[in-house]
């Protein structure tokens, strides 16, 4: 048992000592074990066992320790003793084996020696031998066993120690779990492999009679071939390499994806209820179709015929349809959408009519001016129709005016076009209205810098272009002449026949002209009327989008005609240089002055005095002191007198002159005057007002797990949200510490063995 | 007006999966996302408010409950949805929580059922009572004829009964070994039983007083803790077959629970309104004190995760504590709930069961604002983000205030107030005593040691 072992181990050390002290001659005691045992058996069983064990141990220990104990004994005896102790056990054992006689108490082994009385007495009488233990005055009685309660107490203590040791083995695991950033429960999930797929076997074996029949028929007619079915896919796939496979799958995936998206979009579009949207969509579709047809050039005549028939049936191209009539009648045509519809119809009709006349569809774009004029005339007719239509907005004055303006514009354009046709393309650039930037509504002012700037840009661009063309044409002799006289004539274009033969002569003249231009570019610049003022604009982060855009456009424009602006800059730089030089001059003068001062001390005094004189009026220090006092007074507690005059007095004439009791009401200030933090500080006013609005966003003290304010601040510094961190970080930061799985038993921690 | 936007068409690349929604490209430029802390704070505040808005802890009750007060609940550690309960009139019931209905009912004992446990191996019920009997019950319908109605329950007492153990005294508390077929009973003495034998195999008693609760350690499975009427908590080891340590506290310990994740820690609920966390290796002081109740704690149970614990009290409230914090995270109560005698976490740590004097067994959410429904990834991400924010800003005054605010019954509020006054006056008196006595003669005693009178085996630290 445990307790016994423990007791032994505890007692063993002390017992050894006792034995050693008692036994002087070991082999003697060894020689008489039987006698010892006889005596001991009667006394205590437990002790006997102990003693025996101890004796055995002693054999090995004695030889060394005996020598130490008995230094006084002569060498001979010790040597003999040693020898005997070393040899004895072997001899004894041999003898025991070879003994022939019966073993009983009267026939004891003698070890070859004759037994004497002394030998026998030695065990008993201590006077004869020191080794006598049977009658020993010094030998002690063994202690009685402990009472059961105390014994149990000891047991418990030991058991507790063992249990503690045992349970401390969990320490590491527990620490690990406590410090883990994420704990996923159950901690050691049993992985369940889904082997259904591997073990699943489709039972193709026909069971019912009908199935059997059909199967037979199929087999007979060789329609069923399992191998074929199975291997088809394999062969097709097996031929492909891995990359091809991947490519193929990718392609398929892309296709699927696109189809899916298309479907989704179609569904979404289908959901849209706006009629107008659908109309526009339809139109688009039609137009696309037309384009396609145009490219085909009506290759499939039958289809085309069908379509025409449909058109005719639907009366889409005439204003005689019921819908169109009602539209016109009810003045609904003013509605933009329906008007567009009407126009569409008319256009369709026009197209058809032209087809009937034998025109091809694409012709219209290359119409002559005459055609346009024709159309315009038609328009005028239409206008007359329109004017009949109703009063609405179109009948209003401003609309009419606008229309008139439009007409004028159109007429002008027509004129130009005609000219162009007659003269060539030079004139096109004469007026800026010819190109993109047609101001449609003159009554509207445009404030955006972009548009106005653009306009200017375009005018300039036109100018340049014109010049270029002129230059080109000045290569011709005739043109040169005409240019010299500053005639930009209409005849220029008509005589565009090149004259390469006269090139040499032209060159010289040209160079002359160029020189003339280059002599004084400023002059030419000046001679032209300045159309816009170049403003220096600074664009920084704070400036609005508008200004940014404007700046950008300006930059672009400057790039376009970099020459001019470059010149401008040159001038600027020169000017600034001049300014700089003048400043430098002044500075050098100043420096000289400074040196002069440093040389003369008296002058420095003067300087000080000067400063004093300059700041004579404002006594800063005193002002500060006053302000500090004022602040302290203002923020101090205040006492208000709230005594009511006449309160508690008798009314009437009998007035006694009694002392008035003053009732003071204390109003708490920010901080008491003598408790101010800046009371003993010079040159400082500490604001001790607490901003209550800020309090909401401040933690009153450093919260528990944190040790300092900085630490806490640091914990709040990095935002967690997706706007501020990467996806991975976000997920990592928001991962909950404990993750449990719903409906799963969380088993207690278990030892892995 | 046409607004030009930077757009990346999803037609130009192939997504990884075709079910994957094309993710919105985000611009991480910090200039575009200013005021991050202010924004996150606001989000945290909103999340905290929403959490309180959605806090609905009560789920429902199990069936119609019992006919008498429910004094013990035992959970089946193999399943998430099965529990057993025993009441004051000797009836035990086995419940299916999914259907919230009882699957079997037995009249088990005369008088009160004082202990109930579900055996881990065969899922049988083991009950003990004041009538000196321990009974083993089958809960499988197949093993017995389960056709009798509720009224007959009182007459048919032998159906489903597998085995009966007769003891020498009334039993108080029973617990089963987590792996072996061994169970332990409390009462006049603490006895160890083998389920296959009719007599107890050993008596572990230390001292003469009654044992009220016995609990096997779930991890280091051979260690038992018990609490007795002599205000003591005793530890036993069935390998050495002895009691090993005893600690005596100032007031009686009503309940015990071992931490399932930390083998050496257990919690005890005391009559002094507090629960204490102990390390069994050193019982000279408790590791943590859980304060907040205003009456004795009748039952305590660790969450299976070991991170939280739930206490049921005589003050008619349930409180949930985080293991490493001293004050409760949440308090549950209803108007009709009476004194609570048993609380248990379910084995998936999501719900709490409480049995009380009013004969009902109630189901509560362990996390009052959580819902069991399956959530989409987006939803889950959002909740995780919200929780992270709440955790981060929990020290801000407003968030702290909102997250801590609970409506508590007036009685409890009043009791808390009185208790606070009492404690303060006591402290004041002690302080005065200390002031007017010799320096060092009245040392400060840490709160974690105040309740300890002494241990049987003295230790240095």
């Amino acid at each position: 048992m445990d307790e016994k072992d423990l007791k032994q181990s505890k007692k063993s050390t002390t017992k050894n000592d006792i034995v050693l002290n008692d036994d002087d001659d070991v082999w003697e005691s060894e020689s008489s074990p039987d006698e010892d045992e006889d005596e001991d058996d009667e006394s205590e069983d437990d002790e006997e066992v102990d003693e025996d064990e101890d004796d055995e141990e002693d054999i090995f220990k004695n030889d060394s320790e005996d020598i130490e104990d008995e230094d006084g004994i002569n060498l001979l005896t010790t040597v003999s003793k040693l020898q005997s102790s070393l040899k004895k056990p072997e001899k004894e054992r041999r003898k025991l084996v070879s003994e022939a006689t019966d073993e009983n108490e009267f026939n004891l082994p003698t070890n070859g020696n004759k037994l004497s009385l002394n030998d026998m007495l030695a065990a008993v009488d201590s006077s004869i031998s020191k080794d006598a233990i049977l009658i020993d005055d010094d030998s002690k009685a063994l202690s009685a066993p402990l009472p059961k309660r105390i014994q149990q107490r000891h047991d418990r203590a030991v058991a507790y120690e063992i249990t503690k040791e045992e349970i401390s083995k969990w320490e590491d695991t527990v620490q690990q779990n406590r410090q883990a950033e994420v704990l996923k429960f159950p901690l050691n999930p049993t992985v369940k492999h889904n082997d259904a797929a591997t073990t699943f076997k489709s039972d193709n074996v026909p069971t019912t009679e009908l199935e059997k029949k059909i199967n037979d028929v199929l087999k007979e007619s060789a329609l069923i071939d399992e191998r074929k079915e199975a291997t088809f896919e394999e062969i097709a796939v097996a031929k492909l390499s891995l990359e091809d496979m991947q490519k193929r799958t990718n392609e398929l995936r892309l296709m699927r994806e696109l189809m899916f998206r298309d479907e989704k979009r179609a569904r979404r579009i289908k959901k849209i209820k706006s009629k107008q949207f659908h109309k526009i969509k339809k139109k688009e579709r039609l137009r696309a179709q037309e384009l396609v047809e145009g490219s085909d050039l009506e290759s499939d005549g039958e289809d085309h015929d069908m379509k025409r028939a449909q058109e005719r049936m639907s009366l889409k191209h005439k204003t005689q349809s019921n819908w169109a009539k009602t539209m016109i009648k009810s003045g609904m045509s003013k509605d933009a959408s329906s008007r567009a519809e009407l126009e569409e119809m008319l256009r369709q009709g026009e197209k058809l009519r032209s087809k009937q006349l034998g025109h091809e569809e694409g012709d219209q774009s290359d119409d002559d001016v005459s055609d346009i004029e024709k159309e315009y005339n038609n328009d005028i007719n239409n206008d007359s129709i329109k004017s009949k239509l109703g009063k609405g907005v179109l009948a209003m004055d401003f609309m009419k005016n606008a229309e008139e303006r439009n007409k004028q514009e159109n007429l002008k354009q027509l004129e130009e076009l005609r000219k162009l046709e007659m003269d060539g393309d030079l004139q096109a650039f004469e007026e800026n209205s010819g190109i993109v930037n047609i101001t449609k509504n003159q009554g509207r002012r445009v404030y955006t810098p972009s548009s106005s700037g653009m306009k200017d840009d375009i005018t300039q661009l036109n100018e340049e272009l014109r010049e270029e063309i002129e230059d080109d044409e000045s290569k011709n002799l005739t043109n040169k002449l005409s240019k010299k006289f500053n005639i930009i004539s209409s005849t220029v274009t008509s005589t565009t026949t090149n004259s390469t033969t006269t090139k040499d002569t032209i060159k010289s003249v040209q160079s002359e002209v160029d020189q003339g231009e280059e002599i004084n570019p400023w002059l030419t610049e000046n001679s032209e009327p300045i159309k816009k003022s170049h403003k220096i604009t600074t664009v920084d982060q704070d400036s609005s989008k508008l200004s940014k855009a404007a700046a950008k456009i300006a930059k672009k424009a400057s790039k376009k005609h970099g020459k001019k602006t470059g010149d401008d800059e040159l001038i600027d730089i020169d000017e600034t240089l001049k300014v700089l030089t003048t400043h430098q001059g002044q500075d050098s003068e100043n420096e000289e002055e400074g040196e002069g001062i440093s040389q003369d001390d008296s002058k420095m005094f003067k300087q000080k005095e000067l400063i004093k004189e300059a700041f004579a009026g404002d006594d800063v220090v005193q002002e500060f002191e006053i302000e500090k006092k004022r602040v302290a007074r203002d923020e101090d507690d205040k006492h208000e007198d709230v005594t009511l005059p006449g309160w508690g007095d008798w009314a009437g004439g009998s007035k006694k002159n009694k002392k008035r009791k003053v009732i003071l009401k204390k109003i708490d200030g920010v901080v008491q005057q003598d408790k101010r933090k800046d009371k003993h500080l010079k040159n400082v006013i500490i604001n001790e007002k607490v901003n209550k609005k800020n309090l909401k966003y401040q933690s009153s003290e450093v919260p528990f797990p944190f040790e300092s304010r900085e630490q806490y601040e640091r914990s709040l510094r990095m935002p967690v949200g997706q706007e501020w961190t990467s996806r991975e970080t976000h997920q990592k930061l928001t991962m909950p510490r404990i993750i449990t799985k719903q409906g799963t038993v969380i088993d207690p921690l278990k030892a892995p063995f | 007006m046409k607004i030009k936007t930077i757009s990346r068409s999803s037609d130009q690349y192939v997504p990884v999966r075709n079910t994957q929604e094309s993710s919105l490209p985000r611009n991480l430029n910090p200039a575009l996302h200013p005021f991050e802390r202010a924004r996150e704070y606001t989000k945290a505040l909103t999340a905290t408010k929403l959490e309180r808005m959605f806090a609905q802890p009560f789920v429902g009750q199990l069936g119609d409950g019992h006919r008498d007060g429910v004094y013990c609940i035992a959970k089946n550690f193999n399943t998430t949805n099965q529990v057993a309960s025993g009441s004051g009139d000797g009836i035990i019931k086995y419940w299916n929580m999914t259907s919230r209905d009882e699957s079997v009912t037995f009249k088990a004992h005369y008088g009160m059922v004082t202990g109930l446990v579900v055996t881990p191996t065969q899922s049988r019920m083991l009950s003990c009572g004041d009538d000196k009997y321990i009974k083993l019950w089958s809960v499988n319908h197949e093993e017995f004829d389960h056709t009798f109605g509720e009224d007959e329950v009182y007459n048919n007492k032998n159906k489903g009964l597998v085995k009966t153990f007769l003891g020498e005294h009334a039993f108080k508390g029973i617990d089963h070994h987590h792996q072996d077929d061994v169970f332990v009973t409390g009462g006049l003495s603490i006895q160890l039983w083998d389920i296959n034998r009719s007599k107890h195999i050993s008596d572990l008693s230390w001292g003469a007083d009654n044992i009220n609760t016995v609990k096997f350690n779930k991890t280091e499975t051979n260690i038992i803790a018990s609490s007795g009427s002599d205000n003591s908590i005793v530890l036993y080891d069935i390998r050495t077959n002895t009691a090993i340590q005893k600690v005596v506290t100032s007031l009686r310990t009503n309940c015990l629970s071992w931490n399932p994740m930390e083998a050496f820690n257990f919690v005890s609920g005391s009559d002094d309104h507090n629960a204490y966390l102990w390390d069994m290796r050193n019982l000279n002081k408790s590791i943590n004190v859980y304060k907040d109740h205003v009456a004795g704690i009748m039952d305590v149970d660790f969450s299976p995760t070991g991170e939280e614990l739930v206490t049921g009290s005589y003050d008619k409230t349930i409180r949930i504590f985080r293991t490493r914090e001293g004050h409760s995270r949440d308090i549950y109560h209803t108007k009709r709930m009476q004194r609570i005698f048993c609380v248990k976490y379910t084995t998936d740590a999501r719900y709490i069961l409480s049995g009380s004097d009013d004969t009902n067994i109630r189901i509560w959410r362990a996390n009052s604002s959580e819902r069991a429904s399956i959530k989409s990834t987006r939803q889950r991400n959002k909740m995780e983000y919200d929780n992270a924010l709440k955790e981060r800003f929990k020290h801000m005054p407003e968030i702290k205030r909102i997250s801590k605010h609970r409506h508590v019954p007036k009685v409890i509020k009043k009791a808390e107030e009185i208790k606070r006054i009492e404690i303060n006056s006591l402290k004041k008196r002690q302080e005065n005593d200390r002031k007017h006595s010799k320096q060092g003669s009245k040392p400060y005693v840490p709160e974690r040691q105040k309740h300890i009178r002494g241990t049987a085996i003295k230790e240095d630290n």
Side-chain angles (χ1 to χ4, degrees), chain B residues 208-332:
Chain B
D209 228 324
N210 251 351
I211 301 288
N212 297 318
T213 333
V214 282
K215 281 276 149 62
F216 262 108
N217 192 334
K218 295 274 179 309
T219 309
E220 197 62 46
T221 45
N222 294 312
I223 294 166
I224 306 169
S226 79
S227 69
S229 308
D230 54 349
N231 302 347
S232 67
I233 299 169
V234 189
L235 298 172
Y236 311 85
D237 194 332
I238 59 170
R239 286 169 297 193
T240 46
N241 213 18
T242 47
I244 48 179
Q245 175 66 305
K246 181 192 234 173
V247 61
V248 181
T249 53
S250 57
L251 277 173
R252 206 177 98 156
T253 300
N254 290 320
C255 48
L256 293 166
S257 177
W258 287 94
N259 190 334
M261 287 295 148
E262 297 170 7
F264 36 77
N265 287 350
F266 67 92
V267 70
S268 72
S270 175
D271 253 354
D272 62 2
H273 310 183
N274 296 339
Y276 299 98
L277 184 69
W278 304 85
D279 186 337
M280 68 157 278
R281 294 167 298 177
N282 182 10
L283 296 179
N284 287 327
K285 62 166 188 211
S286 49
I287 303 171
N288 202 355
V289 184
Y290 303 103
K291 291 178 167 182
D292 265 355
H293 276 296
V294 288
I297 292 174
M298 301 312 290
D299 199 6
V300 62
D301 191 34
F302 256 110
S303 150
T305 60
E307 296 291 322
E308 285 179 348
L309 53 101
V310 61
T311 55
S313 168
Y314 208 66
D315 62 10
K316 306 177 188 175
T317 61
I318 298 166
R319 278 182 191 269
I320 302 169
F321 295 86
R322 291 201 180 90
T323 308
R324 278 176 270 287
E325 286 172 18
H327 286 278
S328 64
R329 165 174 79 78
D330 216 336
I331 175 172
Y332 294 165

Side-chain angles (χ1 to χ4, degrees), chain A residues 52-291:
Chain A
D52 277 352
E53 282 170 6
D54 290 341
D55 285 353
E56 275 164 19
E57 284 171 15
D58 287 345
I59 292 167
F60 303 107
K61 287 182 181 176
N62 266 338
D63 44 18
S64 58
E65 287 179 48
D66 268 9
I67 295 161
E68 287 168 19
D69 285 355
E70 301 173 287
D71 283 334
I73 293 167
N74 59 356
L75 200 69
L76 261 177
T77 50
T78 48
V79 167
S80 65
K81 255 182 208 168
L82 272 172
Q83 278 175 342
S84 63
S85 68
L86 281 170
K87 286 169 189 172
K88 206 98 241 181
E90 271 185 73
K91 269 184 185 173
E92 202 176 27
R93 223 166 271 151
R94 220 187 299 143
K95 283 235 165 118
L96 273 171
V97 172
S98 63
E99 199 84 28
T101 51
D102 290 344
E103 205 171 308
N104 59 30
E105 59 182 318
F106 303 110
N107 190 12
L108 289 166
T110 53
N111 294 342
N113 304 332
K114 285 269 167 92
L115 198 68
S116 66
L117 190 67
N118 255 2
D119 286 338
M120 292 167 85
L121 275 173
V124 183
D125 197 356
S126 58
S127 61
I128 294 162
S129 164
K130 275 186 182 175
D131 207 27
I133 50 164
L134 289 182
I135 303 168
D136 189 3
D137 301 331
D138 299 335
S139 67
K140 290 162 194 166
L142 284 162
S143 56
L146 292 166
K148 202 183 175 190
R149 298 177 114 243
I150 295 159
Q151 185 67 49
Q152 272 179 342
R153 190 188 296 157
H154 289 316
D155 289 354
R156 274 187 219 118
V158 176
Y160 186 42
E161 286 301 319
I162 292 166
T163 313
K164 271 204 284 191
E165 215 169 274
E166 197 69 17
I167 211 156
S168 292
K169 286 175 186 169
W170 289 101
E171 185 78 55
D172 289 338
T173 320
V174 168
Q175 281 303 328
Q176 211 176 340
N177 281 350
R178 272 185 199 167
Q179 285 158 11
E181 280 185 10
V182 176
L183 272 181
K184 224 169 192 175
F185 289 106
L187 283 175
N188 301 314
T190 49
V191 184
K192 277 181 187 169
H193 295 289
N194 188 11
D195 49 358
T198 54
T199 55
F200 176 73
K201 221 177 178 185
S202 62
D203 46 337
N204 284 330
V205 187
T207 47
T208 59
E209 270 188 34
L210 182 68
E211 275 179 357
K212 270 176 196 165
K213 250 184 210 172
I214 290 169
N215 198 40
D216 287 342
V217 170
L218 282 173
K219 262 185 186 165
E220 275 171 26
S221 56
L223 274 173
I224 199 165
D225 190 359
E226 283 165 7
R227 229 178 20 167
K228 205 171 152 192
E229 255 175 40
T231 49
F232 175 76
E233 202 52 45
E234 280 169 28
I235 289 163
V237 173
K239 277 176 188 170
L240 289 168
S241 70
L242 187 70
E243 285 150 27
D244 285 342
M245 247 326 258
Q246 245 163 9
K247 212 170 155 190
R248 210 184 99 182
T249 46
N250 269 345
E251 262 169 31
L252 284 172
R253 198 186 286 161
L254 177 66
M255 204 103 89
R256 224 179 303 134
E257 176 65 25
L258 287 176
M259 275 164 72
F260 174 65
R261 278 207 196 123
D262 212 39
E263 206 174 292
K264 239 164 83 175
R265 203 180 53 219
R267 222 176 294 143
R268 206 191 61 224
I269 286 167
K270 205 184 163 191
K271 241 191 241 170
I272 294 169
K273 282 177 182 164
S274 160
K275 267 185 190 166
Q276 198 171 357
F277 175 79
H278 281 294
K279 268 177 206 164
I280 290 161
K281 271 275 147 195
K282 202 175 173 186
K283 231 176 281 169
E284 256 175 33
R285 204 171 53 233
L286 279 173
R287 213 168 293 148
Q289 237 168 4
E290 268 172 37
L291 275 174

Side-chain angles (χ1 to χ4, degrees), chain B residues 136-153:
Chain B
L136 185 66
W137 304 88
S138 169
V139 294
N140 296 326
H141 298 287
E142 293 80 37
E143 293 179 22
F144 58 92
D145 179 28
H146 187 68
T147 49
F148 47 86
E150 207 192 322
D151 291 338
E152 290 170 80
V153 162

